[in-house]
């Protein structure tokens, strides 16, 4: 074990604009054997200052909803498409996404999750390589190939969407329930993952 710790991007200067706007590189967090991997877009201001993904308001929403479906942050892995904060919190551009893609694929490869949950439009489109109507497609599962391995990807709305539009809460929750289901997590057992791993 310990491969994930070794796999922390500590220095990278591929994206000049992001090098200028970041205070640090934000790597994924969570156990090395997590069954579910959440992929966001990129760090915002709070993530950039704390060095962890999803620690701001979106992070609280995600934590709350995880608990509702019988998961908790300590049992899942959370990462982003780009590991550095884009200036003014703009979306990462195509070059930046491509520059960081190898890191994401390596993380997915080492983790070998049962399901990848994309939070919002940018990560969904980045990994599916097509345009995605997130609200309509939330909760749907697609098989993708990443680094030659087949992966299950579950489209989900971004947690922040529920802050602006309450009707998204249900969409968000049912997508997370489906993720827990796919990963074989039994929410009724006090949020414990089944230990046999099957």
């Amino acid at each position: 074990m310990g491969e994930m710790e070794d796999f922390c991007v500590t220095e990278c200067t591929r994206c000049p604009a992001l090098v200028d706007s970041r205070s640090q590189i934000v790597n994924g967090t969570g156990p090395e054997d997590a069954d579910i991997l959440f992929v966001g877009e990129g760090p915002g201001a709070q993530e950039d200052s704390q060095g962890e993904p999803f620690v701001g308001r979106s992070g609280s929403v995600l934590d709350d909803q995880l608990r509702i479906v019988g998961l908790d942050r300590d049992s899942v892995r959370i990462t982003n498409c780009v590991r550095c904060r884009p200036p003014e919190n703009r979306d990462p551009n195509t070059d930046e996404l491509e520059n960081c893609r190898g890191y994401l694929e390596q993380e997915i490869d080492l983790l070998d999750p049962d399901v990848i949950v994309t939070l919002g439009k940018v990560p969904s489109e980045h990994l599916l390589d097509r345009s995605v109507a997130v609200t309509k497609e939330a909760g749907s599962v697609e098989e993708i190939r990443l680094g030659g391995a087949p992966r299950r990807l579950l489209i989900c709305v971004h947690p922040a969407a529920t802050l602006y539009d309450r009707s998204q809460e249900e969409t968000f929750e049912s997508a997370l329930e489906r993720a827990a289901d796919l990963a074989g997590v039994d929410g009724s057992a006090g949020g414990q993952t089944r230990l046999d791993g099957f």
Side-chain angles (χ1 to χ4, degrees):
M1 288 305 275
E3 285 182 350
M4 279 290 188
E5 268 106 78
D6 302 341
F7 171 64
C8 262
V9 182
T10 50
E11 285 175 47
C12 181
T13 52
R14 293 177 189 172
C15 307
L18 301 197
V19 173
D20 288 345
S21 68
R22 74 183 183 207
S23 63
Q24 59 184 318
I25 295 173
V26 179
N27 284 294
T29 54
E32 305 191 352
D33 57 354
D35 295 327
I36 303 174
L37 172 67
F38 289 94
V39 181
E41 179 175 318
Q46 268 171 295
E47 288 75 17
D48 179 69
S49 68
Q50 290 184 41
E52 260 196 50
F54 284 94
V55 287
R57 280 180 75 197
S58 298
S60 315
V61 174
L62 181 59
D63 291 348
D64 291 347
Q65 291 289 349
L66 284 172
R67 275 195 295 275
I68 289 170
V69 301
L71 295 164
D72 61 71
R73 183 182 275 247
D74 297 339
S75 66
V76 301
R77 192 162 179 92
I78 305 174
T79 196
N80 280 310
C81 290
V82 298
R83 287 166 197 263
C84 299
R85 181 192 177 190
E88 312 292 308
N89 285 353
R90 66 160 167 76
D91 286 355
N93 64 36
T94 316
D95 287 348
E96 291 161 352
L97 286 165
E98 278 316 311
N99 286 341
C100 219
R101 171 118 184 178
Y103 298 142
L104 180 59
E105 290 193 6
Q106 205 179 339
E107 186 170 14
I108 291 168
D109 208 42
L110 287 170
L111 184 66
D112 193 22
D114 291 341
V115 60
I116 298 167
V117 181
T118 49
L119 298 169
K121 193 177 181 66
V122 171
S124 303
E125 297 194 338
H126 182 50
L127 288 178
L128 287 169
D129 199 23
R130 64 171 176 81
S131 50
V132 176
V134 178
T135 308
K136 281 221 294 272
E137 297 187 55
S140 60
V141 178
E142 295 206 17
E143 188 108 335
I144 55 166
R145 290 196 85 74
L146 271 185
R151 300 278 173 210
R152 282 188 302 192
L153 182 146
L154 174 72
I155 299 169
C156 185
V157 295
H158 192 282
T162 65
L163 295 169
Y164 309 117
D165 175 1
R166 288 287 174 213
S167 68
Q168 299 276 11
E169 273 181 26
E170 219 171 290
T171 312
F172 188 56
E173 192 180 323
S174 58
L176 291 192
E177 266 169 11
R178 180 128 201 233
D181 210 37
L182 289 169
V185 178
D186 181 7
S188 62
Q192 289 303 304
T193 308
R194 292 209 313 242
L195 294 175
D196 56 25
F198 293 108

